[in-house]
Each structure stands twice: as structure tokens, then as C-alpha cells.
Amino acid sequence: MRKNIPWIIVLVVVFIVLGGLSFTVNMYFDYLWFAELGKEVIFTTTLYAQSALCTLTLLAGFLFLYVNFTVANRAPGLIEIGIPTPTGQITALRIQPETVQRMAGLGALAVGLMVGTSFASRWEMVWSWLHRVPFGEVDPVFGRDISFYFFSLPFWRDVVQTGLLLVVAAVVGSVVIYYFKGAMSWRTVRNGAVRCGRAGVHISSLGALAFVFLALGAWLGRYELLFGSNDVFSGASYADLHARLPMAVVQAVAALAGAGLWLYSAFSARIRTGVYAVVLYVAVAFLGGIYPSVVQKFFVDPNELDKESPQIAHNIKATLKAYGLDRVEERDLSGDKALTPQDIERNAPTIHSIRLWDHEPLLDALKQIQEIRTYYDFVSVDNDRYHFNGELQQTMLSARELNSSSLPERNWINERLSYTHGYGIALGPVNRMTSEGLPVLHAQNIPPASAYPAFKVTRPEIYFGELTRGYAVVGTGQEEFDYPSGEENVYTKYKGSGGVQVGSLLRKLLFAIYFRDFNIALSPLVTSESRFMYFRSVGERLSRLAPFLMLDRDPYMVVSEGKLYWIQDAYTVSDRYPYSTATAGVGNYMRNSVKMVMDAYDGDVDMYVADPDDPVIKVWQSVFPGVFRPISDIPQDLGLHLRYPEDIFQVQTYVYSTYHMTAPHIFYNKEDLWQIPSIASGRGDAPMSPYYTIMRLPQEESEEFIQMLPFTPGRKDNLSAWMVARSDGKDYGRLVVYRFPKQKLVYGPRQIIARISQDAEIARQISLWDQRGSQVIQGNLLIIPIEEALLYIRPLYLRAESGKIPELKRVIVAYENRIAMEETLEASIGKIFQQNLSLPAQGAAPLADGDGGAPAPVVRPAGAAPAAPESGASDATQLIDKAGDAYNRAIAAQRAGDWAKYGEELKKLGETLEELKGRNRAQ
């Protein structure tokens, strides 16, 4: 055994050294990462806060326990432990006081370390308390500023709980020492008088301290009543205020009385007084559990509405305030406005922005026609708006990202040094399609091609995106793959400032340790000029930069002055707003306080304060000075693309569906409960999701970019209201609810879908497609307000049995009792109103050809029927269109891997070209 001891010590030392080295290296490169972003104050403040808290609480806990253990160890006597021998005899092992002292010190250090690390992990709570700011609002019960509940109450609650834990640990440790030393005697006789013994004084004093902490806990527990919940509302109920609150005061007084009894026990040598303290506290706690139930059953339940009305009013007011719904503007609609063709023509920009491409079909189409290579991938589709062709138009954009898991040859050089970035975007209007039902793209192909200045991308490389997982090394001896060009590839060198530079051989070796990848150390391709990019995915990068913020689930890409940026909405959330109702995954307080902008090429991040009145973000601005910038500092072009985020709007609509009832008796009876409509989908019924559109709101003068969602009455399917969140200019963030008269029947989504399904002509056409082996995909139903009436729009997509590309084939429009399904939106609307409409057409400049890209497709607006040829138009124009269609179908078939279809379309193209050539000769 002794021969093995040195090896064990060596292994322990090696383990400690390696662990310490790994920790130091991680801290070092974390600092370099924050410094690269110019946000090192976040790293240093966090490190200082955690270190200071860990040190202070560890030291306090250690000293408190060590002093108590030392007092116990000074009691007379030795610790003796009986050890059986092989002969059956018992040998006494005596442990000297010095050994006990060392063991006690180790135990105190271990508990102190646990307390220190626990407090260090909650540094955000402590630093928020140190930098707290007032809300300027008070709770309705105690009259305290709301900041007390956000910042002070959690801090003092943790202090009390930690203090009680240390006292309990001191009692347990001291009792163990006294017991084994044989000194656990409560009484002693001195000079003929009976007095409390050393152990009695010590344990009684600790008991008194424990009861002081119990009293503080009971006193603070009064405030926690404001976060209660029951079946009707959230917050303190009548029973809480008139039973639990007084009993909490009684319990605090009982605990203080218990502390006094323990102190009396320390000097009276009567252990029974300490027992009386425990019995008193337990009895009061027991009564505190029974008395509120009695009050609830005999005083509240028989007349609940009358008793709870004041508390319900508090809950309604607090919930609306906590979610920013207290500023909702409600407008009533007459419900009697009948749409005319002139109304449709006056609202042409709204019609032009009706989204006919749902995210999933569009994503499937882009994957087939724009991924170009197997290692590119489109992850999501983002809604935004741009000014072009003289008007504001809604667009859908998707980034072409590199998916390293799909590389044809996966090795370290390819994944880390060569294939480092995605390339370009696909962007098009939400409502336009080619003659084949494919999406029209205003920006497409590799290299990016666009005829519109707003969409010209001069820096298309995407080093930081949603799929960029793991580290990449740029500026190495290995050329970076840029993009494919026919049979050849184009290579590049990174020219930006993103990433952490290697600089020296030592840092190169440390990088190898940090990433646990010794290819870094061994590769001559990684030089001192190389730069390591890590934490590159949008979510990981931004959540690591600001872990105290909650990120929206949908970061979206923006084209601005030729560069690509990610915009990420971030929220301040909490569960500490008194009387507010909580939402799962969020808490009971939510603000969209921060807009984050990240450069897709360099990875630079700027954080802008979008809600300067939010007290929580004010605290973080104080904690991290210089990190946040005012929203007025955002570049003007980027500012035009800020939008009201979807996550908070979903939460707000969910909350408002109940809390628009501001009268307590209506709220209690749920007389006017709303719900978010559910629509059948492939996965069963699912609530409608909010959607973006451009429209002119009723009673407004011009079109704007908004997000909206309808409401139906509880357990009914007709429409009762709809809410919009505005995103443009000075109206950004304003919420408006439009309400229909209760006596007016307005069809809801489920009713419209049922009527569409019952339409004989639509059902016949869908059955015919199904019989031919095609898959019919029914798109999302959109409710589009026009003036004070509603249009219901549902696109239909067709996916061939052998293909993967969904094609937009029909548009269903419903208005009042009329339903139409035609090839285009305008044709359907025209059929509804039984006349041709004259909508201003959207421009469609052709795209310039790019390497590997198709010629400009023949396009038509989804809001415009195919134009009839003018009198005298030549047949040659029609043949050119026919040839273009055949070419587009051939390219689509090639990308889908349908070679039979590809050959068939090429044959048609050749026949059309021969016919065109013959006509030219005849002329």
C-alpha cells in the first residue's frame, strides 16, 4: 500500500494541474472572444462578480462553521472509536483534538465552498440588487415599489435561506463532535449549583439564531403571497390576505418568541424551553395551514365573486401592465361595410402584399432550385419589407448556409479550413410566381444576381449564421472554398476582422488545448496570421454574449448596403411581477427591450435598447456600462427593417384573449372569453400563428408593415376581433385591437375552411389532382382586412408524385357567402365581385444571368391574371415564352434529380426552337 501512495499522489497532482490548465485556457479564450467583439466588460464584470461572491460567501461560511466546530472541539474529552481486531477484541482508537480540528476545518471548507459556488452562480441576482432602479409603480397590498419584488426580495430570501442552512450545518457538526467526545451534557453542576453545560449553551445559542432566520423567512414570506395562483386568477386571494398574511405575521412572532426561549434555555439549564420553542413554531405553522382553508370554505366559496373582486381587479391591472398590454388601443368596427371593386383597387398595395407562399412550401422549393450543391442548405424563411419599384413590398428571404455535415468528403481540412462559409441569399416577393407555379426571386443564384439595387449583395459570404456550428480557421495556408462555378470552384481569402488571431506558437498550442483538437497544433497550414472563429451560430453567439436576455426564436436576415446582417430580438423577462399571471417558459413579465444586430461576415454584434423605459434593461445598462446603445444609433437603413417580434406578440395575444375583460365580474364568469383559432393541419389541430403583412389599417391613411392574429369567442368559431402590432416609424410597437359587434356574424377561420371543403367545384378539383397521384398541399388561411371587411385567402400547392418541388397552382378567396378558386389572386377576387379588376401592376425587371443560374423566368404577379396578347402580337413572342418555360422546367427537373423529366423538357425546348427558327425563315 505504501508503495502505491506516491503514485496516487502523482495522479491527483496531475489531475489537478490538467484541470487547472484547462480552466485557465477556457477563461483565456473566452476573454479573447469577448474582446474580439469589444464587449470584454461583460466578461470582466461577470468574472469579478462571481469571484467576489464566491470568495466572500465561502469565507463567511467557513469562518462561521469553523468557529462553531472549534468551540465544540474544546469540550473536555477525547473521541474514541472502537475497532474490532482479528481476535475478536475491541481496540479503542483515540483521535486527538488537533486531528478533529483539521477534519472540522476541511468540513467547514467543503460546506463554505458549496455555499460560495451557489452564490457565485446567482451573481446576476446579487448584481441586479446592487444596481436596482425603481419602477415608479407600487403593489396594491404593501405599497412597495415593484423593484423590491424584482431585485430586493430574491436577494434577501437567498440570504436568509443560506444563513439557515449554515446554522443547521453548524448544529449538526457540533452535535456530532460533542457526542463522540462524550460531552453532550445539557446540564452541569458548578459550586453546587445546576447550570447549563457547554454543549447546552452552544446548541441553544445556535437554536436561537436558527429561529431568528425562521422569523425573517416568515416575514419575507408575506410578500411571496402576491405570487400565488388559484383557478380564477393569479396573486394573493381573499384567504391569502385575511388568513395567510396574518398567520405569517403570527408565525414570525412565534419564531422570535422561540428564539427567546432558546436563549433562556442557554442560561437556565432547562432543555424543555427549547422544546417548547419548537412545539410553538410547529403548532403555529399547522394552524397557518388550516385557518386559510377554513376561511376559503366558509367565507369565500359561498360568495366568491364578491370577496375576490378587488383581487381580480389587481390581477387584471398587473397582468396588462406586466406584458405591455395596458397601452392597447381598442377600435370598434361596424361590421356593416360591404366591399366593392373600388375598395379593392384603392387597397392595391395591400392586395400586392398578401402572402401566398407559406414558409414550408417556399423552403422546399428553394431547397430544390437554389441550393445549387448538396452542402448548401436553406434553414428558414424570414418575412421583411423593402422599398423598390416605388412602393413598400413584402418579401421572403432565406440565407444559403453551408451545412458541413453534408460535405461529400468530410475531413478536418475541409470542415475547418476550406468550407468555412455559406454564400448569398434567395429573396423574392411573397405573392409572385412563374408560369410554372415556382417562386419569383429578385435575388438568387451563385454569385448573387439581382436587377434591383436594394438586393444587390456585395459581401455574400456567411461566416456567422444559423447553421455555422463549430469553429472555423481563416487566413490559413489552405485556400477557402468560396462558391461553385460550373465544373470549377472559386476560392477566396478572408478579408475581414472577425475571429481571434493566432499570433504566436504558444497561442496556437493553447488553441489546440481549448478545442481539444491536436490537428491545430500539428498542421502547418495554421499560421500566426490565421484567425479562429468560434461560437458562430446566431443563437449560441448572442446567448453567450448576453445570457441575461431571452432570445426570440426567429432571428432574421437583412440586406443593407450590400452586406448581410442578422437581426435578433431579445427580451427581458421575469417571474417577479406581483399579481401578474405567468406564461409557461416566460414568467409573468416580458419586454422586447433589445435589438441585436450581427454582421454575417465579421460576426460583430451591436445591442440597441428598444425600450428605454424598461427598468430591467436599465439595471443591465448600469451593470455593463457602454455595452448597450440607444436605438437612435442604429444605421438608418437597418432601422427600416426592425419589426415587432413574433414571440412576444404570441404571448401578448394569448394573454389578451382573457385579460381584455377588465370588469371583475365579466372576468370571473368568463363571459367574453376569446381564444386563438385552431386550424386542422397534418399534425392535428393547431392554433393559428401570427403573420406579417402590409396593409392599410382601418381609419389609417397609408399602408404599413404589421403583424396580426384573429380571435374567436370561447368555444365558438365565428370571429370576434383581431389584434395588430405595428412596426413602422413612430408607430413601432403600438398594439391595436379591432372588435366586431357581438350581434354581427363574422366568419372565423374554421368556418371558412369548412365552407371551402364543402364547395363542390373545389372538392372535385382536389379529388382530380389526388387521383392523378399528386399531393395537394393546402396553405395557411390568411385573414386580410380591407377597409372594415375581411377577405379570406388560402393558397393551394401541388407536388408531383415523382417530384419534390411544390408549385403554387390555385388561390382560394372567400368573402361573406362567396368562394372562388382561380389560378391567380386577382382572378379569384374578380370572380368574387363578378368583374375584372384593374390593379396597378408590380414591376418585374428581369434578373441578370449568373454563373450556373437560369435566365429570367416568365413571371406573373399573383395578383394579376395572365395578360392577353395585344392585337397583332407575333407568334414568335409566344414561342419564346414557351421555350423559356421548357428551359425552366428542365432546370428544375435537373436539380430535383428527375432525369427523365429533364430529357423530356429538353426535347420540347429543341422542338420549340426549331419551330421558332422556321417561322423566322418564313418571315
Side-chain angles (χ1 to χ4, degrees):
M1 181 67 182
R2 290 182 178 177
K3 293 182 179 179
N4 293 332
I5 290 178
W7 290 104
I8 294 174
I9 294 175
V10 169
L11 289 175
V12 170
V13 171
V14 170
F15 178 78
I16 293 174
V17 170
L18 291 179
L21 177 62
S22 177
F23 175 79
T24 303
V25 169
N26 286 346
M27 295 293 287
Y28 174 62
F29 282 109
D30 283 353
Y31 171 77
L32 292 179
W33 183 80
F34 278 96
E36 171 215 344
L37 293 173
K39 306 291 190 298
E40 57 267 36
V41 66
I42 297 179
F43 177 87
T44 55
T45 300
T46 303
L47 181 61
Y48 171 73
Q50 291 177 333
S51 302
L53 283 175
C54 184
T55 302
L56 291 174
T57 52
L58 185 156
L59 186 61
F62 169 77
L63 289 176
F64 177 78
L65 293 175
Y66 188 72
V67 168
N68 279 278
F69 294 161
T70 299
V71 170
N73 191 39
R74 288 181 178 176
L78 293 174
I79 294 179
E80 295 185 354
I81 301 176
I83 300 177
T85 64
T87 61
Q89 297 178 338
I90 302 296
T91 300
L93 176 64
R94 291 183 175 86
I95 302 177
Q96 298 299 318
E98 294 80 7
T99 304
V100 174
Q101 192 72 18
R102 286 193 289 269
M103 295 172 62
L106 289 175
L109 182 62
V111 175
L113 186 60
M114 287 190 293
V115 171
T117 54
S118 175
F119 252 89
S121 67
R122 299 197 297 275
W123 71 270
E124 294 178 5
M125 174 196 68
V126 179
W127 250 241
S128 296
W129 173 70
L130 292 173
H131 294 83
R132 62 192 180 278
V133 298
F135 271 63
E137 307 157 17
V138 298
D139 76 86
V141 175
F142 300 104
R144 282 188 168 272
D145 191 274
I146 302 298
S147 65
F148 169 78
Y149 298 93
F150 271 65
F151 310 122
S152 300
L153 182 58
F155 171 74
W156 289 117
R157 182 190 59 200
D158 273 21
V159 169
V160 169
Q161 291 175 350
T162 302
L164 184 60
L165 172 66
L166 288 174
V167 171
V168 170
V171 169
V172 171
S174 299
V175 167
V176 168
I177 294 173
Y178 283 125
Y179 176 80
F180 281 102
K181 297 193 76 168
M184 193 61 192
S185 174
W186 205 265
R187 298 179 182 179
T188 184
V189 178
R190 294 181 186 174
N191 301 324
V194 179
R195 299 183 180 181
C196 191
R198 183 188 191 95
V201 173
H202 187 188
I203 302 302
S204 296
S205 300
L206 288 174
L209 184 58
F211 269 71
V212 169
F213 281 119
L214 288 174
L216 291 173
W219 188 258
L220 292 176
R222 300 177 311 135
Y223 301 109
E224 296 292 344
L225 293 174
L226 303 191
F227 302 98
S229 63
N230 53 62
D231 294 337
V232 180
F233 64 96
S234 297
S237 65
Y238 181 91
D240 290 330
L241 298 178
H242 295 83
R244 288 187 178 88
L245 181 58
M247 289 306 299
V249 176
V250 172
Q251 193 167 5
V253 172
L256 287 176
L261 289 173
W262 275 110
L263 285 177
Y264 179 75
S265 174
F267 298 102
S268 67
R270 295 181 181 179
I271 190 173
R272 283 180 293 181
T273 56
V275 176
Y276 295 156
V278 174
V279 171
L280 174 64
Y281 184 81
V282 171
V284 171
F286 179 73
L287 290 175
I290 294 178
Y291 179 52
S293 300
V294 173
V295 171
Q296 180 69 34
K297 185 173 182 62
F298 294 102
F299 291 91
V300 178
D301 288 348
N303 192 18
E304 188 174 39
L305 176 57
D306 181 62
K307 297 293 186 182
E308 300 290 15
S309 286
Q311 291 72 246
I312 292 174
H314 296 331
N315 173 229
I316 294 171
K317 181 179 179 181
T319 301
L320 293 175
K321 187 73 176 178
Y323 291 99
L325 294 169
D326 56 320
R327 300 185 297 271
V328 170
E329 180 182 355
E330 292 194 353
R331 300 179 183 177
D332 292 326
L333 300 174
S334 66
D336 298 325
K337 170 70 175 177
L339 276 183
T340 65
Q342 292 73 29
D343 293 329
I344 298 294
E345 291 171 0
R346 277 198 305 271
N347 289 272
T350 298
I351 301 298
H352 286 162
S353 289
I354 294 175
R355 193 191 77 204
L356 298 182
W357 282 104
D358 288 348
H359 288 191
E360 290 187 12
L362 179 59
L363 201 58
D364 289 343
L366 293 178
K367 286 175 180 290
Q368 296 300 315
I369 65 176
Q370 279 293 305
E371 279 188 355
I372 313 297
R373 294 290 188 270
T374 59
Y375 42 78
Y376 287 127
D377 201 355
F378 290 97
V379 181
S380 63
V381 175
D382 300 318
N383 287 84
D384 200 0
R385 72 286 198 195
Y386 290 82
H387 280 277
F388 62 99
N389 284 343
E391 67 178 358
L392 185 68
Q393 296 186 26
Q394 189 180 1
T395 60
M396 302 184 80
L397 180 153
S398 189
R400 186 185 293 105
E401 298 201 49
L402 181 77
N403 189 346
S404 59
S405 62
S406 299
L407 289 173
E409 182 65 31
R410 296 190 63 183
N411 55 55
W412 183 76
I413 290 179
N414 277 349
E415 291 188 39
R416 303 302 183 191
L417 309 186
S418 184
Y419 291 86
T420 56
H421 57 273
Y423 201 87
I425 58 171
L427 180 150
V430 295
N431 67 334
R432 303 186 67 193
M433 55 191 173
T434 68
S435 57
E436 291 303 307
L438 298 177
V440 169
L441 298 176
H442 289 337
Q444 63 177 339
N445 296 341
I446 296 179
S450 177
Y452 296 95
F455 307 132
K456 285 188 178 295
V457 181
T458 57
R459 182 57 75 189
E461 297 89 349
I462 302 173
Y463 285 88
F464 300 86
E466 293 182 274
L467 269 184
T468 48
R469 303 181 182 94
Y471 72 90
V473 192
V474 298
T476 66
Q478 173 71 31
E479 286 187 312
E480 290 180 59
F481 169 79
D482 203 22
Y483 61 87
S485 179
E487 298 299 324
E488 301 294 331
N489 290 330
V490 176
Y491 294 89
T492 188
K493 283 281 188 180
Y494 180 71
K495 302 178 180 64
S497 58
V500 176
Q501 188 170 346
V502 173
S504 66
L505 177 60
L506 175 60
R507 188 180 285 185
K508 178 179 177 180
L509 295 175
L510 293 177
F511 266 120
I513 296 174
Y514 181 66
F515 290 111
R516 292 172 174 79
D517 190 342
F518 280 91
N519 286 309
I520 297 171
L522 300 175
S523 175
L525 298 173
V526 179
T527 68
S528 60
E529 299 300 319
S530 301
R531 307 179 75 88
F532 277 78
M533 295 178 172
Y534 48 107
F535 304 131
R536 295 193 297 148
S537 71
V538 179
E540 182 184 26
R541 192 173 186 84
L542 299 181
S543 62
R544 192 175 184 86
L545 184 64
F548 44 87
L549 298 176
M550 178 181 176
L551 302 184
D552 190 89
R553 290 173 294 178
D554 183 28
Y556 59 101
M557 179 166 275
V558 167
V559 182
S560 177
E561 298 179 353
K563 298 190 67 176
L564 301 178
Y565 296 90
W566 294 99
I567 296 182
Q568 171 74 70
D569 286 282
Y571 309 106
T572 51
V573 297
S574 176
D575 59 357
R576 305 303 303 169
Y577 202 101
Y579 267 109
S580 176
T581 296
T583 302
V586 173
N588 65 7
Y589 176 89
M590 190 177 194
R591 290 287 188 275
N592 176 213
S593 296
V594 178
K595 303 284 186 180
M596 297 176 163
V597 178
M598 187 178 83
D599 190 319
Y601 186 72
D602 287 330
D604 293 336
V605 179
D606 288 308
M607 294 190 284
Y608 300 94
V609 176
D611 186 357
D613 296 326
D614 174 28
V616 180
I617 200 60
K618 288 181 181 179
V619 167
W620 292 118
Q621 286 179 281
S622 177
V623 172
F624 302 116
V627 167
F628 298 94
R629 302 171 62 183
I631 195 67
S632 57
D633 285 355
I634 195 170
Q636 182 179 4
D637 189 57
L638 284 174
L640 295 175
H641 295 283
L642 297 180
R643 68 185 193 188
Y644 198 79
E646 186 173 336
D647 281 0
I648 191 172
F649 189 62
Q650 280 188 310
V651 171
Q652 288 173 321
T653 51
Y654 170 76
V655 172
Y656 199 75
S657 64
T658 299
Y659 283 87
H660 70 280
M661 299 180 288
T662 55
H665 67 281
I666 295 176
F667 182 95
Y668 177 84
N669 293 307
K670 300 295 186 285
E671 296 176 17
D672 192 23
L673 182 68
W674 294 347
Q675 63 185 16
I676 297 170
S678 292
I679 296 180
S681 64
R683 306 180 187 90
D685 286 357
M688 285 186 70
S689 297
Y691 50 92
Y692 293 97
T693 189
I694 293 175
M695 62 172 290
R696 182 169 62 84
L697 294 171
Q699 306 162 22
E700 297 293 338
E701 297 297 325
S702 60
E703 287 75 22
E704 58 185 290
F705 188 64
I706 59 103
Q707 187 178 188
M708 70 170 291
L709 190 66
F711 295 108
T712 59
R715 296 180 294 279
K716 292 184 179 180
D717 291 330
N718 59 290
L719 213 62
S720 55
W722 45 281
M723 177 183 275
V724 300
R726 306 172 73 173
S727 294
D728 289 344
K730 60 181 176 58
D731 292 321
Y732 177 89
R734 290 180 60 190
L735 302 176
V736 185
V737 171
Y738 293 89
R739 306 175 65 132
F740 292 103
K742 289 185 174 64
Q743 68 274 14
K744 176 75 174 180
L745 174 63
V746 180
Y747 288 122
R750 292 179 71 93
Q751 294 170 321
I752 292 294
I753 290 174
R755 293 184 59 232
I756 290 173
S757 300
Q758 294 164 6
D759 186 276
E761 179 60 26
I762 294 175
R764 185 193 66 79
Q765 183 61 64
I766 291 176
S767 298
L768 182 62
W769 280 326
D770 285 335
Q771 290 171 6
R772 292 177 179 175
S774 298
Q775 178 189 4
V776 178
I777 304 171
Q778 300 195 39
N780 293 328
L781 180 74
L782 301 182
I783 301 175
I784 306 299
I786 304 289
E787 301 296 336
E788 292 193 11
L790 298 176
L791 284 181
Y792 303 85
I793 315 293
R794 191 172 208 183
L796 288 184
Y797 310 93
L798 200 62
R799 193 198 306 267
E801 185 178 17
S802 60
K804 298 181 180 179
I805 306 178
E807 299 173 357
L808 179 57
K809 283 299 183 184
R810 295 290 186 273
V811 181
I812 301 173
V813 176
Y815 171 66
E816 292 186 341
N817 294 315
R818 288 164 274 176
I819 298 177
M821 182 180 74
E822 298 294 331
E823 290 189 8
T824 65
L825 177 60
E826 186 184 57
S828 293
I829 295 176
K831 188 173 181 180
I832 289 286
F833 294 99
Q834 299 181 349
Q835 71 177 74
N836 292 327
L837 299 176
S838 177
L839 294 178
Q842 290 174 291
L847 298 175
D849 292 353
D851 292 341
V858 178
V859 301
R860 65 173 185 266
E870 297 180 4
S871 177
S874 75
D875 293 338
T877 302
Q878 297 181 19
L879 289 175
I880 291 173
D881 291 347
K882 185 177 179 181
D885 289 347
Y887 181 80
N888 287 336
R889 290 194 296 269
I891 292 299
Q894 179 192 38
R895 290 168 179 161
D898 188 349
W899 299 108
K901 177 75 171 176
Y902 176 72
E904 179 184 340
E905 295 300 335
L906 282 185
K907 182 179 178 181
K908 291 180 181 178
L909 174 61
E911 292 172 353
T912 304
L913 292 176
E914 286 298 325
E915 185 178 354
L916 180 62
K917 187 186 297 183
R919 289 183 181 274
N920 287 339
R921 288 172 181 168
Q923 291 177 355

